[in-house]
Amino acid sequence: MTAPAPAPVRPVEPWRLLGPVTLEPVVPERDAPLLHTWLTDPASRYWDMGGLGVDEVLAYERRVQAAPDEQAWLGRVAGSPVFLVETYDPARVLLTDVHVARPGDVGMHLLVAPPAGPRVTGLTDAAMAATMRFCFGELGAQRVVVEPDVRNAAIAAKNAAAGFRVLREVALPGKRAALSVCTRGDFAASRLGAPPVSPRGRHRAAPAAPAEDHR
């Protein structure tokens, strides 16, 4: 009797090999100069902060730090700062007129640093996946809510990979936005919902071009 052929082994996606990926609170006095270089880069145009000076970025991060319904997080890959995450309560911030928030909704913005070296395959996927796990885990979200600019095709594709569903287009200050949500189940079933693999063999990551520009 002929034994059945073994099932084909799928290669592990590169993003699952990067790490560890961690998020920590932004420290404005420490992080403002670095964040200034990210936010004022032309690649970060959807954040609409290109004209700010370092002192203005510092003041912005201090405001977010002091706000009761907003938070800023610095994302690191293998210890290197690589991305910025902002989270907020959509019942009180930005979406109050266009979104009926549910208990457990967490709003999110994500920016991956502009390139500063050779591109690392899978880096933006790793940042997005870690951010989603952070929102559902540490922040206890039931749904993650995003509102990227409708012109931002790169983030539309990345959102779909993480399980986001577009609800509708809405008018927000400075943009027409694709109001989108992702439940725990949506994320778990998505391409980016798989867990990272063992830390053994992972390597340090250099910043790549920003595909995760949630603005």
Side-chain angles (χ1 to χ4, degrees):
M1 183 175 179
T2 304
V9 177
R10 294 184 179 180
V12 176
E13 290 189 271
W15 71 266
R16 296 180 64 197
L17 301 172
L18 298 177
V21 185
T22 60
L23 286 86
E24 64 192 58
V26 165
V27 178
E29 292 74 15
R30 179 195 67 187
D31 299 326
L34 176 62
L35 297 180
H36 174 261
T37 66
W38 297 358
L39 291 165
T40 58
D41 190 279
S44 303
R45 63 189 180 280
Y46 290 113
W47 284 65
D48 197 27
M49 298 175 75
L52 299 186
V54 175
D55 289 345
E56 291 169 302
V57 172
L58 174 59
Y60 171 79
E61 294 301 339
R62 283 175 171 167
R63 184 197 64 76
V64 172
Q65 184 185 53
D69 302 311
E70 300 177 70
Q71 305 82 35
W73 312 93
L74 185 70
R76 298 180 184 271
V77 178
S80 298
V82 171
F83 60 99
L84 169 68
V85 176
E86 292 181 345
T87 53
Y88 63 92
D89 181 355
R92 298 178 178 275
V93 177
L94 187 61
L95 300 180
T96 53
D97 295 330
V98 298
H99 173 64
V100 179
R102 299 178 184 175
D105 278 3
V106 171
M108 184 268 284
H109 298 139
L110 171 60
L111 176 68
V112 176
R119 186 178 182 89
V120 176
T121 301
L123 181 58
T124 53
D125 280 348
M128 172 67 101
T131 297
M132 296 297 285
R133 290 194 301 271
F134 180 80
C135 288
F136 288 123
E138 281 82 348
L139 301 187
Q142 297 301 312
R143 296 195 306 178
V144 179
V145 183
V146 296
E147 18 66 32
D149 194 299
V150 295
R151 297 168 295 176
N152 195 338
I155 194 54
K158 197 65 64 177
N159 283 348
F164 280 95
R165 295 174 288 109
V166 178
L167 299 181
R168 63 187 182 279
E169 292 186 7
V170 297
L172 293 176
K175 67 181 179 182
R176 187 77 180 170
L179 180 65
S180 307
V181 298
C182 180
T183 67
R184 289 171 176 262
D186 293 334
F187 176 61
S190 74
R191 180 176 69 81
L192 298 183
V197 299
S198 168
R200 289 180 298 177
R202 290 177 177 172
H203 59 277
R204 294 182 63 84
E212 270 67 74
D213 187 354
H214 270 289
R215 282 283 183 160

